[in-house]
Amino acid sequence: MNLSSLKPAVGSVKTGKRVGRGQGSGKGGTAARGHKGAQSRSGYSRKVGFEGGQMPLQRRLPKFGFNNINRVEYKALNLDAIQALAEKTGAALITLDLIRENGLCAKKDLVKILNRGQVSIAVEVQANGFSASAVEAIEKAGGKAVKL
């Protein structure tokens, strides 16, 4: 093998299309650029992000803020609301159904118990989430916090 015998792989090298070489070539006249318009002119260069006159992506998107589509939203429910609910219903077990029946959250809401107010009644509270201080306060009153 020597340098004079080297050849590219078959089919890897193509001849470029020869434009503007007469009507017989099929690419004569307009040289495959079409009639009129910016792209048919010499010296034309497309701007970065140009979308043919459509409002470009960088102008369509908001420039501030961010909304995470995977964010999990909880309905906050404080200990004072739990205390009031326990006094009102006299229930020792506070479930999500009981919370919904009393209008403290909507049907599909995830409920998180937060530590505002106090609980003096020993109650078992079932919810989707608890703050650490809320769990501590519930257990201090002799109750139990059950995360669903």
Side-chain angles (χ1 to χ4, degrees), residues 108-147:
K108 292 185 178 181
D109 281 348
L110 298 175
V111 176
K112 185 169 185 175
I113 309 298
L114 303 179
N115 185 31
R116 188 189 74 194
Q118 297 176 19
V119 175
S120 56
I121 304 170
V123 288
E124 182 178 330
V125 182
Q126 295 179 353
N128 303 107
F130 292 88
S131 68
S133 55
V135 171
E136 190 180 310
I138 291 168
E139 290 174 352
K140 189 177 176 183
K144 189 177 173 187
V146 179
K147 187 174 179 184

Side-chain angles (χ1 to χ4, degrees), residues 15-128:
T15 54
K17 69 175 166 185
R18 298 185 68 220
V19 296
R21 292 292 181 270
Q23 295 291 25
S25 69
K27 301 279 190 284
T30 60
R33 288 170 175 246
H35 297 280
K36 300 185 184 175
Q39 294 176 60
S40 70
R41 317 279 188 215
S42 65
Y44 168 73
S45 61
R46 180 178 294 152
K47 288 187 175 78
V48 175
F50 182 67
E51 296 186 19
Q54 176 174 301
M55 187 64 69
L57 182 67
Q58 70 269 23
R59 289 187 62 196
R60 293 197 305 262
L61 295 177
K63 299 293 183 280
F64 302 100
F66 172 75
N67 290 326
N68 186 356
I69 61 168
N70 298 317
R71 179 181 164 82
V72 178
E73 287 276 352
Y74 286 95
K75 169 79 172 156
L77 202 61
N78 289 296
L79 290 180
D80 51 9
I82 296 295
Q83 174 75 22
L85 184 61
E87 288 172 358
K88 178 182 164 187
T89 60
L93 173 64
I94 295 180
T95 62
L96 283 178
D97 291 331
L98 185 66
I99 292 170
R100 288 185 184 117
E101 285 168 15
N102 287 277
L104 295 175
C105 74
K107 185 178 179 183
K108 292 185 178 181
D109 281 348
L110 298 175
V111 176
K112 185 169 185 175
I113 309 298
L114 303 179
N115 185 31
R116 188 189 74 194
Q118 297 176 19
V119 175
S120 56
I121 304 170
V123 288
E124 182 178 330
V125 182
Q126 295 179 353
N128 303 107

